[in-house]
Each structure stands twice: as structure tokens, then as C-alpha cells.
Amino acid sequence: MDTPALVIEKRKLDANIQKMADIARTKKVHLRPHTKTHKNPKIAKLQLEAGAAGITVAKVAEAEVMAEHGIDDIFIAYPLVSEIKIQKAIDLSRKIRLITAFDSLEGIQKLSQSAETAGVVLEVRMEIDSGLRRTGVLYDEAVELARKAKELPGIKLTGIYTFRGPILDGKPTLDIEEAGRQEGQLMADLAERLRAEGVPITDVSVGSTSTSASAAEVEGITEIRPGTYVFYDRMQEKYHCCLHEECAAAIHVTVVSKPSDSLLIVDGGSKTFATDVQPGQSPIFLEGFGEIIGHPEMLLERLTEEHGMVAVHGETNVQIGDVLQVIPNHICSTVNLHNDVFLKNEDGTLEKQAVLGRGKVQ
Amino acid sequence: MDTPALVIEKRKLDANIQKMADIARTKKVHLRPHTKTHKNPKIAKLQLEAGAAGITVAKVAEAEVMAEHGIDDIFIAYPLVSEIKIQKAIDLSRKIRLITAFDSLEGIQKLSQSAETAGVVLEVRMEIDSGLRRTGVLYDEAVELARKAKELPGIKLTGIYTFRGPILDGKPTLDIEEAGRQEGQLMADLAERLRAEGVPITDVSVGSTSTSASAAEVEGITEIRPGTYVFYDRMQEKYHCCLHEECAAAIHVTVVSKPSDSLLIVDGGSKTFATDVQPGQSPIFLEGFGEIIGHPEMLLERLTEEHGMVAVHGETNVQIGDVLQVIPNHICSTVNLHNDVFLKNEDGTLEKQAVLGRGKVQ
């Protein structure tokens, strides 16, 4: 196998899939994994076989790829506001169960108009901002928006959803259990208020690998949408969402140069390792751009596009031509950089799989 | 056109290609543009038609894509040390003029052995570390390495090259002219020393969009390898390598949510805008992850994977559904995130082009 290459250990992948399926089963919620992490219909099918009720995607183009490969229950957890995307979603909704999303009056009006014109009824969920400050209707404005949405033709408002991650009282936190409970409680309470207003909410969906398990314990939560758990990564390990040995994906890189005893250069840079989760950021303070397995004396300190600069503290017998394995800081954005990944079976054989959903940004 | 989409203005692209070709012609050096920026054989051909002598790539897999599309003079400016890559390079060298690289004794010995076994002679250049501290033999060790390389079979050492960028006396600088002159002088001096030792260096190649023009003025420099100039970006503008209106590539994004008067959410995040050039870094101190054209009151302040959070300082009449155009901080790594780009002709028509070299990390 040439390098750089993203290698996934099948045994760990299977165990991670099973673990989250068991959590959902035990806590009696649906599991609808976010496939942004792997972007791979084959892995999505493993998740479905283990008990997932459907999948989540962020983009219409990702939904199209997944549907083309036989997946028939998809939630696009992203507000659709442009005509092109809405038309594509309508087309897709004629073939599979497709759930779309909105977080504004403009958004739901457009969905409604286009659906009515097309003669379909779109199943929709309302996104709630539960503290991340990105998309999602503000919590206090949700009842008013839902009341208006309920009256519109061409849509059927069945649920609410949020994505929050490890945030507690509006601030990043390492206390993911309490963060999850707060997320769950906010959403369960809101669902009750909406029902009291005559909006028949059946699906109450919460997100993220870090908070799913504890959010699912809150009475009234019906669905979790974790994504990263399928592989885990260095960030999740720092959040104590996984053990080190559960990290299933690593980048294999080759040492191409050794300018001095304290510096090695490897053949992966910022076009191989995602840079969205930077070193030194609160609250997890990762060191470097990835963990070099088995080499605590090494730090992947600096990246240019095609080079990784590894600082060596102390002695090493690593030489030019040797291969190092690196657990990336953030696996979702890292997978997105790769055209292919390699599934490594227990017998050591490698299976090359195209990342069919990568680059499907629209 | 759906969003997010990377749109390149053909008129500006053509002008940028012509400008660098004119610089090379005037300064009597070869131009061998680094195609890492666009990863597109069609744009490489425009560069060749304007007078480029060949192209540069970072990866064997990129060279293969370019050769498949009819480009027959390629320099892989990256030390090849693994057997798989060396064999692929040897195969390619039978079809086109391929120049490979080394920066260590281990590297050149492997190239030599494999080439001799295969019965070919590989044209090679030695990479010099002129201050960036990544690959490249240390300046003071270059003569010794070249002397050993010269004696090996299967290879023909014809040149030296470096990549440095805006560094002066070992530190990041905004004085790109002086940085370029220093880079050029270091390389020209080294070439003379090598010739005095009996190593017949003919190609003395320097890199980077920011330093090429001034490095090319140094007597003895024979080739420049700029890449980013083809589109330019926000970083190059800050380095005064280009005017604002020369930036040829922008990401078009749609406003999908407007949680408050001071916050807009657009449909491009860290999977659409590269994050390798972060805001606030010395010496250029960019604000945010891209410049929103025509909206100085807006700042692309924060990115999650599929969301861009735009802070609005003051009033705006931008609404949900509106499209914004953003010049990215670093265009090379940004293009690498996109499966396609759209060339916009002067008449407004759009031509979709696959980024054939993207993800070719091996």
C-alpha cells in the first residue's frame, strides 16, 4: 500500500457500530447516524444492519449518493432554502423516505410552495439552536415559527432536531454527560410546549457522538444522530467519548526526509490531515495535528500542503522510508480529503473503498 | 448554479497566466508552474500555451493524471523514497520527460538502484533547504551529498531546487522582494560551488508565487515554479503579490439562516473553505476565513464542517437565499476540497471542470 493512506480497522469499526446500536437499543431511541464522517454507503449499510433506523446527511448531493446506493430513509439535517436544492429534494422524496429541514419562515415557505406546486407533501423537521449559535431557530422563537409552519400546505411538520456537541450553559465543556442531559431536556421540554400549542411533534432528535448517550436518557427524546463514533478520533478521545484503542482510523505516512535528529518529514500535510481542529484550542488542547501511534516522543508539529513536520524529542530509530500511523485530530474532515480509504480486515487484507460522498458539498 | 461552488473568472485567469509568463520571459528564466493550485490539466495547458516550459507537481499520482491528459514534461518536486512511488515514476519516465527529486543519500540510492534495475536513467534534481525547515538537504551538506549522487548509476543529476516562500533570514517576512533575492542568491551560489566540485548543474530552480519575480533576477537562476499566481488568493494579496482585482477564484455560498441582525449562516464550512491558513497568524494577520466581496461589514468568523458563521457589524440588507462571494485565504488547499470548479467566461457562461488531480495524495 502506497502512502499517505487512510486505513480503517474493520474489527474496531464493527465494534463501534455495535456499541452505539446497543446504546440506542438500551435507551429506547432511534439511531440515525450522521454519515458525514465516512461518506460511504457500504459503511452506512453496516450501521443499518446493526439496527439504525435510517441515516442523516448534511447535503442534498450526499443524500443523492446514498439513495443511488440503496439507502431509502434519509434525513437532510440542513435548512434547504435554494430552489435547486429544494427541487432535488422533492425529486428524491418521490423515491425514498426523505426528511428535510427548516429554521426560518423564509425556508419553510419556500419548501411549502415548491412542494405544493410539485404535488408532494414533504416531511420536515424544525432545527432548534440549543446553544451552538449557527443554524436553528432561536429557542424562544421556535413555538411561533412552528405555529406558522403547521398551517402551510405541501409540508408535514413531524419533528424537531438540534446539533449541539459538548456545550454546557453556552460554553465549551469537557462534561459531556451533563451537556447531553441539558441538550436532551431543552429539546424534550420544547416538544411538550409545541404539542401543547397543537403542533403534533413525534420526532425529537439530538445530535453528536459526545452527547448522544446522555441526551438519550432524557424522557421524550426519540432519536440520536451521532456520526464520529463510527471511527472516533483524537478529539473524541480527549472528550472521553472513546478509549484510545477504539479509534479505528489512522493515516499511514512515510518518512521522506530526516534533516536532523530532532526533525522528521512525512508525506502527509494539510491536504491529507484536516486542519479544522487546530492544536491548543480550548477546552481540549490537543498537541499537534495528530497522534503518532507508539511514538510519544514525536509531535506532528507543523503542516504545509504535502509535508508534515514531526518534532522528535529524544532519541528515535525511525528512518527514511519507515511508515508511521497517525490518529487525526478530526476524522470527519480528514476522510473528506481522501478519494479512497482502506478497510483492513482481521487477516490483514486491505479493501479499497471509494469515499463516494466526499466533495459533495452542494 | 447550486452553491457552494468555486467559480473562476476566465478573464482574470488568462491575465494572471500571461503576467507570470511575461515575467519569466523578461527575466530570461524558464517557467515551470506548480499545478498543485488548480490540479487541472486544462489549466496546465493554458500555462504551457502561454510559454511555460513544463509543469511541477508534488505527487506521483498528480504526475500520472497530468501525463494521461497529454502533458509530457513534468517535475515531481518531492523526494521519492518508497519503492511503489519510484516504480511508478520509472514507468512514467518511459513515456514523458519526468524529473524526480531527492534530498538524502538513502533517497538517491533507492532511485539509483531501482533505475539501474529497470534499465533507465532518471533525470534528478537535489532539493535544498533554504530556510523553510521541511524537506531539502541542509545547505552546508549539499555539496557532499551531490558529490556522492554524481557517482551513482541509473540517475543523472542535472539540477538543484528549493521552495522557500516569504522568509528572510530564517523568519517570516512581508518583504518578498528581498526574500526572493536572498533565495535566488543562495541557490546561484550553491550551483557555482557544485560546478566547482565537478557536478554539472544546469537547472537552478526556485519556487513560490511571492518570491519568483525577484529571485529570477539573480544571475544564475534558470527556472521559477510559482503556483498560486494562477488564481491568487487573500494570502497573496496580503503579501502584495497581487492586486485585489487579480484574485480570480471565489467561493459562492448561499445564506441559509439569519438567527439575528448580527449573524448570518452560509452553506460553506471547513469542508468548503480550507482551514490551513488560519486567521490572525503572523506576519499577515488575516481576519476570518475569507473576504466577502463587497461586504466590508461582514466577517466569516467561524466555520464548522458545513456551516460558515458570518458576523455582521452594522446594518445589512442581505437576506436568506442571497448568494455571497468569498475570496478564500488559501486557494490551493481550497481547490483541493472541490470535485469541480466553474470557469466563468466573459459572456457569463459557466463551464464545469473536474478537478482531476484533487485527492491524488500518493
Side-chain angles (χ1 to χ4, degrees):
Chain A
M1 187 185 64
D2 202 0
T3 64
L6 206 163
V7 179
I8 294 154
E9 286 191 50
K10 182 71 165 49
R11 183 180 57 82
K12 294 184 180 180
L13 169 67
D14 289 339
N16 294 343
I17 288 174
Q18 196 56 54
K19 178 175 143 184
M20 194 60 83
D22 289 343
I23 288 173
R25 201 172 291 117
T26 307
K27 303 195 172 170
K28 296 191 173 61
V29 294
H30 292 300
L31 170 62
R32 185 181 284 279
H34 205 307
T35 59
K36 63 164 189 158
T37 305
H38 54 72
K39 298 182 181 290
N40 180 330
K42 286 190 186 174
I43 295 179
K45 283 178 188 170
L46 295 178
Q47 293 172 306
L48 291 165
E49 283 161 19
I55 65 165
T56 305
V57 300
K59 298 284 179 159
V60 177
E62 289 176 341
E64 289 173 337
V65 168
M66 291 293 179
E68 275 165 28
H69 289 82
I71 293 171
D72 61 4
D73 190 332
I74 303 177
F75 173 35
I76 304 174
Y78 204 89
L80 298 184
V81 304
S82 72
E83 204 46 51
I84 298 178
K85 283 195 179 63
I86 292 172
Q87 284 305 328
K88 286 181 176 174
I90 287 171
D91 289 348
L92 207 50
S93 76
R94 297 185 202 269
K95 300 174 196 158
I96 63 165
R97 178 190 180 196
L98 184 79
I99 311 167
T100 61
F102 72 101
D103 76 345
S104 66
L105 189 60
E106 295 91 324
I108 193 61
Q109 282 172 340
K110 283 184 186 177
L111 278 170
S112 163
Q113 282 160 19
S114 301
E116 202 190 12
T117 306
V120 300
V121 175
L122 283 176
E123 184 175 348
V124 298
R125 293 179 179 176
M126 181 170 66
E127 182 175 5
I128 312 299
D129 177 6
S130 59
L132 197 62
R133 291 198 75 232
R134 55 179 206 191
T135 48
V137 60
L138 296 180
Y139 194 81
D140 291 336
E141 295 171 8
V143 173
E144 181 63 19
L145 180 58
R147 212 189 272 134
K148 288 175 180 161
K150 184 177 166 273
E151 303 306 319
L152 294 173
I155 56 132
K156 187 180 174 199
L157 174 55
T158 56
I160 55 175
Y161 78 102
T162 194
F163 177 84
R164 199 163 82 143
I167 286 181
L168 190 60
D169 298 326
K171 290 184 190 124
T173 182
L174 283 172
D175 187 353
I176 56 172
E177 293 198 8
E178 188 55 31
R181 278 189 290 269
Q182 194 175 81
E183 177 182 348
Q185 202 58 58
L186 281 167
M187 293 297 284
D189 290 350
L190 182 59
E192 276 306 306
R193 279 175 59 191
L194 289 166
R195 289 182 196 115
E197 296 284 338
V199 186
I201 295 298
T202 52
D203 301 305
V204 185
S205 176
V206 293
S208 99
T209 287
S210 50
T211 62
S212 276
S214 57
E217 287 178 358
V218 176
E219 179 81 26
I221 298 302
T222 68
E223 181 183 280
I224 55 176
R225 305 187 322 280
T228 317
Y229 78 95
V230 74
F231 300 146
Y232 292 118
D233 57 19
R234 211 168 164 224
M235 182 166 54
Q236 295 300 329
E237 191 189 340
K238 270 279 193 170
Y239 277 120
H240 303 292
C241 294
C242 66
L243 301 172
H244 182 263
E245 55 267 31
E246 290 175 312
C247 291
I251 310 266
H252 293 220
V253 288
T254 298
V255 176
V256 296
S257 187
K258 195 177 175 181
S260 72
D261 286 343
S262 62
L263 182 63
L264 299 174
I265 316 296
V266 296
D267 61 355
S270 64
K271 287 175 177 171
T272 298
F273 295 95
T275 51
D276 58 331
V277 173
Q278 292 273 315
Q281 287 178 335
S282 173
I284 52 172
F285 301 103
L286 294 171
E287 290 190 312
F289 289 94
E291 184 204 326
I292 303 172
I293 298 174
H295 289 284
E297 80 283 12
M298 293 186 184
L299 182 65
L300 182 53
E301 198 171 51
R302 197 161 59 90
L303 302 175
T304 55
E305 287 161 59
E306 304 291 6
H307 301 76
M309 273 55 74
V310 176
V312 182
H313 301 286
E315 294 206 358
T316 180
N317 53 10
V318 171
Q319 299 299 328
I320 290 174
D322 287 352
V323 172
L324 300 175
Q325 300 182 20
V326 187
I327 300 175
N329 285 359
H330 187 195
I331 190 64
C332 309
S333 42
T334 297
V335 168
N336 186 55
L337 294 171
H338 292 260
N339 288 349
D340 307 287
V341 297
F342 295 83
L343 271 192
K344 187 177 181 181
N345 298 311
E346 285 213 59
D347 62 3
T349 55
L350 292 168
E351 200 179 311
K352 189 175 175 175
Q353 291 197 353
V355 184
L356 294 173
R358 66 127 272 113
K360 299 286 179 191
V361 290
Q362 294 181 332
Chain B
M1 187 184 63
D2 202 359
T3 62
L6 205 163
V7 179
I8 295 154
E9 285 192 51
K10 182 69 166 54
R11 183 181 57 81
K12 295 184 180 181
L13 169 67
D14 288 339
N16 293 344
I17 288 174
Q18 197 56 52
K19 177 176 146 186
M20 194 59 81
D22 289 344
I23 287 173
R25 201 172 290 117
T26 307
K27 305 198 172 169
K28 298 191 172 57
V29 294
H30 291 299
L31 171 61
R32 186 181 282 279
H34 204 307
T35 58
K36 62 165 188 155
T37 305
H38 53 72
K39 297 179 182 291
N40 181 331
K42 286 191 185 174
I43 295 179
K45 284 179 186 168
L46 295 177
Q47 293 172 305
L48 291 165
E49 283 162 19
I55 66 165
T56 305
V57 300
K59 299 283 178 161
V60 178
E62 291 176 341
E64 288 173 338
V65 168
M66 291 295 178
E68 274 165 28
H69 290 81
I71 293 170
D72 61 3
D73 191 333
I74 303 178
F75 172 35
I76 304 174
Y78 203 88
L80 299 185
V81 304
S82 70
E83 204 47 50
I84 298 178
K85 284 194 178 65
I86 292 172
Q87 285 304 329
K88 286 181 177 174
I90 287 172
D91 289 347
L92 208 50
S93 76
R94 297 185 202 270
K95 300 174 197 159
I96 64 165
R97 179 190 180 199
L98 185 78
I99 312 167
T100 61
F102 73 101
D103 77 343
S104 65
L105 188 60
E106 295 91 324
I108 193 60
Q109 282 172 339
K110 283 184 187 178
L111 279 170
S112 163
Q113 282 160 18
S114 301
E116 204 192 7
T117 306
V120 301
V121 175
L122 283 175
E123 184 176 347
V124 298
R125 292 179 179 176
M126 180 170 67
E127 182 174 5
I128 312 298
D129 176 8
S130 61
L132 197 62
R133 292 199 77 232
R134 52 178 204 190
T135 48
V137 60
L138 295 180
Y139 194 80
D140 291 335
E141 296 172 6
V143 173
E144 181 62 18
L145 180 59
R147 212 189 273 136
K148 289 176 180 162
K150 185 176 164 274
E151 302 307 319
L152 295 173
I155 57 132
K156 189 183 174 196
L157 174 55
T158 56
I160 55 174
Y161 78 102
T162 195
F163 177 85
R164 199 162 81 145
I167 286 182
L168 190 58
D169 299 326
K171 291 187 190 120
T173 182
L174 283 172
D175 186 353
I176 56 171
E177 292 198 8
E178 189 54 30
R181 276 189 291 270
Q182 194 176 81
E183 177 182 349
Q185 201 58 58
L186 281 168
M187 293 297 283
D189 290 350
L190 181 60
E192 276 306 308
R193 280 176 58 192
L194 289 167
R195 289 182 197 114
E197 296 283 338
V199 186
I201 296 299
T202 52
D203 301 306
V204 184
S205 175
V206 293
S208 99
T209 287
S210 50
T211 61
S212 276
S214 57
E217 286 178 0
V218 176
E219 178 81 22
I221 297 302
T222 67
E223 182 184 279
I224 56 175
R225 304 187 323 280
T228 317
Y229 78 94
V230 74
F231 300 147
Y232 291 120
D233 57 19
R234 210 168 164 226
M235 182 166 53
Q236 295 300 330
E237 190 188 342
K238 270 277 189 169
Y239 276 121
H240 304 292
C241 295
C242 66
L243 301 171
H244 182 263
E245 54 268 30
E246 290 175 312
C247 291
I251 309 266
H252 292 221
V253 287
T254 299
V255 176
V256 296
S257 187
K258 195 177 177 180
S260 73
D261 286 344
S262 61
L263 182 64
L264 300 173
I265 316 295
V266 297
D267 61 355
S270 64
K271 286 175 177 172
T272 298
F273 296 95
T275 50
D276 57 331
V277 174
Q278 293 271 317
Q281 287 178 334
S282 172
I284 52 173
F285 301 102
L286 294 170
E287 289 189 314
F289 290 94
E291 185 204 325
I292 303 172
I293 297 174
H295 288 284
E297 81 282 12
M298 292 186 187
L299 181 65
L300 182 53
E301 199 171 48
R302 195 161 59 91
L303 302 175
T304 53
E305 288 163 58
E306 304 290 6
H307 302 75
M309 273 54 74
V310 177
V312 182
H313 302 285
E315 295 206 359
T316 180
N317 53 11
V318 171
Q319 299 299 328
I320 290 175
D322 287 352
V323 172
L324 301 174
Q325 299 181 19
V326 186
I327 300 176
N329 286 358
H330 187 196
I331 191 63
C332 309
S333 42
T334 296
V335 169
N336 186 56
L337 294 171
H338 292 260
N339 289 349
D340 306 288
V341 297
F342 295 83
L343 271 192
K344 187 177 182 182
N345 297 311
E346 284 213 60
D347 62 4
T349 54
L350 292 168
E351 198 179 311
K352 187 175 178 175
Q353 290 197 353
V355 185
L356 294 173
R358 68 126 270 113
K360 299 287 178 190
V361 289
Q362 295 183 330

